[in-house]
Amino acid sequence: MEQAGIRFFIPGLPEHVTDQEIATHFGKYGKILEATAAMDERTGAARGFGYVTLSELANPADVVNDIHFLGGKEIRVVLAKESLAGTEDKRIYIGGTENMSADEIRDVICGFGSVLDVHTPKDATGLRKNFSFATFSSADAYERAVAMGNLQVKGLLLEIRPATRDAGRKGKGNGKGDFGWGGGGCGWGMDDWSWGGGGWDG
C-alpha cells in the first residue's frame, strides 16, 4: 500500500547526514512518515540528496519556504513531484528568468504569497531555458501574481502569466511592479520590496 503524506525532496544533502538527523530536524513540522538519506545500493556511498515525508496535517508551505540547516549546510527543500499533484491551477509561467537561480526566483515571487515549487527547465543540451514555472500554495497568491502581469527586477523584465491550458495567451496585468531584489527574501533578511505601478493593496 502506497504511503500517504506530503513528500519533500532534499537536495545538496551532506554525505554524513543520517536518516535520524533528517527525522529529528523535520519533526517540528509534523509527524514523520519517512526520513531517508539516499545511498548508492551498490557502493553504500551517500548520493547527496534525501527525502522526508510528513503527515498530511503538516503545512507544506512552511517546510519549503524555510531555510534548513543540515550537516552544517543551508538547504531549501522542494515538494516531490507526487506531492505537487492537484496544484496545477496555482502554477504560473515566468518569462525572462534564464539568468536567475531557483532561489532568486522564489525570493522575488514570494512577495505574492507562499511558494511551493520553482521549476527551471533545461533544453536537450542542459542549458537553461528563458522561462520558469512556480507553484503557489493559495489561489489568492496565484491571482495576485497573474494580475501583476510583468515585474521589473534589477533591470530584468519578467513576464508572468498562467501556466495552464491558456498559458500561451498573454496575461492581462495591471502594469509593472518594480522589485528591490536583495537576494534572500520573505522573512530571512531581504531588502524591503519597492513596488511600482501595478501593485496590490494588502
Side-chain angles (χ1 to χ4, degrees):
M1 182 176 180
E2 187 175 343
Q3 181 171 252
I6 307 168
R7 197 175 197 222
F8 301 86
F9 174 70
I10 311 170
L13 191 66
E15 62 181 16
H16 59 276
V17 173
T18 65
D19 296 356
Q20 183 57 53
E21 287 174 305
I22 295 173
T24 298
H25 174 80
F26 288 98
K28 61 187 175 184
Y29 297 100
K31 181 181 178 181
I32 300 293
L33 302 180
E34 170 205 24
T36 303
M39 310 293 286
D40 185 285
E41 293 183 0
R42 184 175 60 85
T43 66
R47 299 182 64 187
F49 64 88
Y51 293 95
V52 62
T53 302
L54 298 171
S55 161
E56 291 178 352
L57 296 177
N59 184 349
D62 290 342
V63 182
V64 299
N65 287 304
D66 280 353
I67 293 180
H68 305 276
F69 293 87
L70 288 165
K73 182 179 179 181
E74 290 187 3
I75 295 174
R76 292 173 82 166
V77 306
V78 297
L79 275 171
K81 289 181 180 179
E82 59 267 33
S83 292
L84 280 169
T87 62
E88 293 83 1
D89 59 341
K90 303 181 189 73
R91 197 175 190 226
I92 61 170
Y93 163 99
I94 313 169
T97 59
E98 66 268 33
N99 294 316
M100 297 174 66
S101 70
D103 281 351
E104 289 168 342
I105 295 167
R106 182 188 297 272
D107 289 340
V108 168
I109 64 171
C110 66
F112 298 114
S114 294
V115 180
L116 293 179
D117 180 66
V118 175
H119 176 54
T120 54
K122 296 180 180 180
D123 63 21
T125 68
L127 294 177
R128 279 276 304 278
K129 293 186 177 181
N130 65 352
F131 60 87
S132 56
F133 297 99
T135 304
F136 290 104
S137 64
S138 72
D140 286 346
Y142 165 83
E143 289 167 4
R144 284 195 289 264
V146 171
M148 182 65 69
N150 296 304
L151 286 177
Q152 292 277 358
V153 184
K154 292 294 187 179
L156 299 175
L157 178 61
L158 308 184
E159 177 193 8
I160 298 177
R161 64 178 192 259
T164 54
R165 294 178 184 176
D166 58 353
R169 192 170 63 202
K170 295 289 184 180
K172 295 180 180 179
N174 294 329
K176 296 178 181 178
D178 185 14
F179 274 97
W181 176 22
C186 300
W188 48 77
M190 186 167 189
D191 298 336
D192 292 336
W193 301 122
S194 59
W195 290 93
W200 68 84
D201 296 328

